[in-house]
């Protein structure tokens, strides 16, 4: 009862916000996280299938916990491999693999590519799911849906041979935000969900089994240390605490994946890999 009452108010705290969030998610999430999320509350949330269903999907985060974990071969063995933004594989193949089926990118990366910046991270043969972290969720609202749709159309026109899908048209982010609020209360957000979370929610109706690499909360992961496996600097030039304020859902996302996973929690703690059944699970409910 204590956790269910206090946790929704954690994100209202501004001073020492990160500290309190970490404490309560650890106590109410990781320690109490042996209580799984029931699929009946999740079914019906996810978007229309974006592509033909596949058996296994490896969804690869940018978390530094993947370094020296040697997950590369098992990631590459998945039927579909999903990566994010400009996360590289070259030089990290042993840990994160090298195959790529889908890459989920946000509006910042899309603008870079339209301006011919960072094109070394663009692979024309991949399929791209386009996600807006500043549309329809959070308090910033610095881009509206119409503006993002124009951005998506411009990108499609610039690279006509590449497959792009606008995730905002599926409503996945707004549905996912509502779902997280139903579990964790009405926490504040400056921006929407992390690009990783949107990609995972979009993957669930596509994959029978979704293997998350470095996404789930675990005892070996310090969520406040938001760095990436390919950089010693904080993501986007922000420190971890500011990232947690910007994406107010981040700690709740990692706890949610842990609760939704069928992987034993001691294995998640040991490997930082969590398996979530796809929404085919809903068909047997």
């Amino acid at each position: 009862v204590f956790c269910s009452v206090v946790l929704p108010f954690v994100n209202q705290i501004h001073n020492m916000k990160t500290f309190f969030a970490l404490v309560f998610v650890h106590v109410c999430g990781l320690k109490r996280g042996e209580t799984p999320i029931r699929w009946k509350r999740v079914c019906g949330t996810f978007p229309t299938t974006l592509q033909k269903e596949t058996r296994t999907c490896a969804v690869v985060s940018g978390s530094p916990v993947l370094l020296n974990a040697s997950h590369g071969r098992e990631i590459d063995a998945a039927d579909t491999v999903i990566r994010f933004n400009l996360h590289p594989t070259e030089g990290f193949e042993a840990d994160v693999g090298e195959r790529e089926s889908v890459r989920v990118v946000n509006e910042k990366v899309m603008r870079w590519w339209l301006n011919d910046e960072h094109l070394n991270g663009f692979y024309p043969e991949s399929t791209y799911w386009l996600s807006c972290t500043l549309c329809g969720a959070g308090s910033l609202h610095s881009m509206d849906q119409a503006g993002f749709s124009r951005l998506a159309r411009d990108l499609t026109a610039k690279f006509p041979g590449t497959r792009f899908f606008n995730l905002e048209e599926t409503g996945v982010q707004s549905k996912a935000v509502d779902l997280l609020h139903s579990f964790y209360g009405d926490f504040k957000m400056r921006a929407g969900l992390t690009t990783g979370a949107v990609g995972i929610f979009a993957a669930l109706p596509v994959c029978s089994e979704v293997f998350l690499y470095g996404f789930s909360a675990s005892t070996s992961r310090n969520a406040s240390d938001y760095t990436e496996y390919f950089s010693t600097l904080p993501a986007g030039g922000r420190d971890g605490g500011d990232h947690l304020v910007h994406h107010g859902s981040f700690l709740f996302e990692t706890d949610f994946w842990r609760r939704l996973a069928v992987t034993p929690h001691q294995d998640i703690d040991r490997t930082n890999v969590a398996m979530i059944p796809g929404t085919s699970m809903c068909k047997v409910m």
Side-chain angles (χ1 to χ4, degrees), residues 40-271:
K40 287 183 179 179
R41 293 188 63 187
V42 178
C43 293
T45 297
F46 307 108
T48 304
T49 299
L50 297 169
Q51 60 186 51
K52 184 178 179 181
E53 289 189 22
T54 187
R55 191 174 68 84
T56 60
C57 288
V59 187
V60 188
S61 77
S63 173
V65 299
L66 298 181
L67 286 175
N68 303 314
S70 300
H71 291 312
R73 286 188 178 181
E74 62 192 68
I75 289 172
D76 284 343
D79 296 319
T80 298
V81 180
I82 301 174
R83 303 185 189 275
F84 296 89
N85 290 325
L86 299 180
H87 297 181
T89 58
E90 186 176 356
F92 303 97
E93 294 88 347
D95 295 321
V96 302
E98 57 185 331
R99 285 187 55 237
E100 177 177 318
S101 311
V102 174
R103 188 168 286 259
V104 188
V105 298
N106 61 30
E107 70 283 352
K108 185 176 183 179
V109 175
M110 293 165 65
R111 287 195 186 103
W112 280 338
W113 289 346
L114 283 172
N115 293 325
D116 294 323
E117 299 177 61
H118 303 291
L119 288 177
N120 59 327
F122 177 76
Y123 307 99
E125 66 279 6
S126 290
T127 294
Y128 288 92
W129 294 352
L130 309 178
S131 172
C132 183
T133 60
L134 300 175
C135 300
S139 60
L140 291 179
H141 291 292
S142 57
M143 174 172 282
D144 58 22
Q145 297 287 351
F148 184 75
S149 293
R150 287 193 297 272
L151 199 63
R153 288 194 297 270
D154 290 345
L155 197 64
T156 301
K158 185 178 180 68
F159 303 102
T162 300
R163 296 180 298 275
F164 296 99
F165 295 93
N166 184 349
L167 290 182
E168 296 304 311
E169 294 178 350
T170 70
V172 58
Q173 177 156 203
S174 60
K175 293 177 181 178
V177 168
D178 289 343
L179 180 65
L180 290 179
H181 280 162
S182 74
F183 283 100
Y184 299 106
D186 191 19
F187 51 84
K188 287 186 176 181
M189 304 167 64
R190 287 185 184 174
L193 302 180
T194 63
T195 305
V198 175
I200 294 169
F201 277 115
L204 286 171
V206 174
C207 317
S208 295
E209 296 178 336
V210 181
F211 290 85
L212 306 183
Y213 290 84
F215 279 104
S216 178
S218 74
T219 55
S220 61
R221 176 180 184 174
N222 180 0
S224 66
D225 182 21
Y226 193 82
T227 54
E228 296 162 319
Y229 68 77
F230 48 90
S231 175
T232 57
L233 298 176
R238 299 185 300 269
D239 62 24
D242 189 57
H243 177 82
L244 296 178
V245 172
H246 189 70
H247 289 290
S249 59
F250 179 71
L251 292 173
F252 303 109
E253 293 170 15
T254 60
D255 183 66
F256 186 79
W257 307 134
R258 182 181 178 92
R259 291 173 180 269
L260 199 59
V262 297
T263 307
H265 288 181
Q266 63 268 27
D267 291 343
I268 296 176
D269 292 335
R270 179 175 55 84
T271 66

